[in-house]
């Protein structure tokens, strides 16, 4: 893969939560099974999301049809995250992403091959990345209904302002999140899949999380090969130090270096 193509593909990590469908389509919904208590499933989801508070990760990022890269990352609930990716036989840096929460918090995506950084406010997509790197499920809205299929799978439906609807499917037997879909006014916006769970300090943590924008061709996958609880976080850990001469642009530039020709859109902030 050419360096430019790989850099563009990995840079899309910074935009993958912003991708929209090329045209709205009606969300496809499976036939509803027997109804069950949504409050009970909401408690199950909140319990799952309660831990961990902080992790260090090593893994691999894959973009369908575009390439892959190894990454190291760390995330702490309520503080932010940092991810650095390298590719090729010489571990060439291709992407750095840092988000810091709090007053004046920002997210920055740095592309070394272009000597360019893209900067956005924390609330734009920082909470989503933090949630995903912590292995949790972004939770949007309030529980409205739930059902259970004959094979034991359970589905929780949450609805929020602005026409947002979220369905969280729990695997039969384990009760662990398996698939999450998010739509707005009936149009699919985002789909997440969780799998290959492992225990981290007594709590389940997915070994794989895949991300696909509604209506988009291709998707992205995060494979977590090493997951370590992170008890300490030194100052400056979640901050990028940009080399002299780096061009800094706003998020409006994301569509220029993202290879996929999708318009930019925003997701509601997850609330747990």
């Amino acid at each position: 893969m050419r360096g430019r193509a790989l850099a563009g593909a990995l840079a899309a990590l910074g935009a993958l939560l912003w991708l929209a469908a090329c045209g709205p389509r009606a969300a496809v919904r499976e036939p509803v099974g027997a109804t069950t208590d949504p409050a009970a499933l909401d408690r199950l989801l909140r319990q799952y999301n309660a831990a961990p508070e902080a992790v260090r990760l090593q893994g691999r990022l894959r973009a369908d049809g575009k390439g892959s890269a190894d990454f190291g990352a760390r995330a702490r609930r309520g503080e932010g995250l940092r991810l650095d990716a390298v590719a090729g036989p010489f571990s060439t840096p291709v992407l750095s992403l840092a988000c810091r929460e709090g007053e004046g918090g920002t997210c920055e995506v740095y592309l070394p091959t272009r000597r360019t950084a893209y900067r956005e406010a924390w609330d734009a997509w920082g909470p989503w990345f933090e949630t995903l790197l912590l292995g949790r499920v972004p939770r949007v809205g309030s529980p409205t209904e739930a059902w259970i299929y004959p094979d034991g799978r359970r589905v929780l439906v949450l609805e929020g302002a602005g026409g947002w609807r979220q369905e969280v499917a729990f695997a039969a037997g384990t009760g662990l999140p398996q698939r999450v879909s998010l739509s707005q006014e009936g149009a699919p916006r985002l789909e997440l899949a969780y799998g290959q769970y492992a225990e981290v300090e007594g709590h389940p943590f997915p070994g794989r999380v895949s991300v696909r924008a509604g209506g988009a061709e291709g998707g992205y996958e995060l494979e977590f090969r090493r997951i370590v609880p992170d008890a300490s976080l030194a100052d400056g850990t979640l901050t990028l130090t940009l080399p002299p001469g780096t061009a800094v642009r706003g998020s409006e530039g994301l569509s220029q270096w993202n290879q996929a020709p999708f318009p930019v859109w925003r997701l509601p902030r997850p609330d747990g």
Side-chain angles (χ1 to χ4, degrees):
M1 169 176 288
R2 295 180 180 177
R4 181 179 179 182
L6 180 58
L10 295 171
L13 175 64
L16 63 88
L17 295 180
W18 289 24
L19 301 180
C22 294
R25 297 182 301 164
V28 178
R29 184 180 181 188
E30 296 182 62
V32 177
T35 59
T36 187
D37 182 13
L41 283 187
D42 187 47
R43 288 193 295 271
L44 181 63
L45 180 59
R46 290 183 181 277
Q47 180 181 1
Y48 172 81
N49 276 349
E53 290 294 321
V55 292
R56 283 184 288 121
L57 305 162
Q58 291 179 350
R60 194 160 185 83
L61 165 68
R62 298 182 179 88
D64 289 352
K66 297 179 181 179
S68 62
D70 295 316
F71 71 85
R74 63 195 312 166
R76 176 177 288 273
R77 192 189 306 268
E79 293 191 34
L81 62 102
R82 173 73 182 264
L83 183 146
D84 296 278
V86 298
F90 301 106
S91 297
T92 303
V94 293
L95 169 71
S96 290
L97 165 67
C99 294
R100 187 79 189 198
E101 193 170 351
E103 185 176 355
T106 60
C107 285
E108 289 182 318
V109 178
Y110 173 57
L111 306 181
T113 58
R114 298 197 179 186
R115 297 181 65 84
T116 301
Y118 296 87
R119 184 175 293 161
E120 178 60 281
W122 157 262
D123 279 345
W125 35 271
W128 281 82
F129 277 123
E130 181 183 274
T131 302
L132 292 179
L133 289 179
L134 287 171
R136 307 300 89 185
V137 173
R139 182 182 178 279
V140 175
S142 301
T144 57
E145 59 180 316
W147 61 84
I148 182 169
Y149 290 103
D151 63 4
R153 289 179 299 133
R154 291 176 288 174
V155 176
L156 171 67
V157 177
L158 303 101
E159 296 183 354
W164 288 100
R165 176 187 174 90
Q166 182 177 13
E167 295 187 7
V168 182
F170 298 85
T174 66
L176 295 172
Q178 186 176 48
R179 189 169 299 276
V180 179
S181 62
L182 193 67
S183 61
Q184 186 181 29
E185 301 292 351
R189 295 303 189 193
L190 189 72
E191 184 171 294
L192 307 171
Y194 296 75
Q196 296 189 0
Y197 281 91
E199 290 291 318
V200 178
E201 286 198 330
H203 299 282
F205 198 104
R208 291 181 186 269
V209 178
S210 66
V211 183
R212 187 176 300 273
E217 294 293 334
Y220 302 84
E221 180 184 80
L222 291 166
E223 178 187 359
F224 303 126
R225 296 178 173 177
R226 187 167 184 264
I227 308 162
V228 179
D230 195 359
S232 62
L233 198 62
D235 290 343
T237 300
L238 306 180
T239 303
L240 292 184
T241 301
L242 300 176
T246 299
V248 179
R249 300 179 181 176
S251 60
E252 65 277 2
L254 288 171
S255 59
Q256 298 176 9
W257 51 260
N258 172 29
Q259 289 187 332
F262 308 128
V264 173
W265 62 289
R266 293 179 184 257
L267 293 164
R269 176 169 180 165
D271 57 7

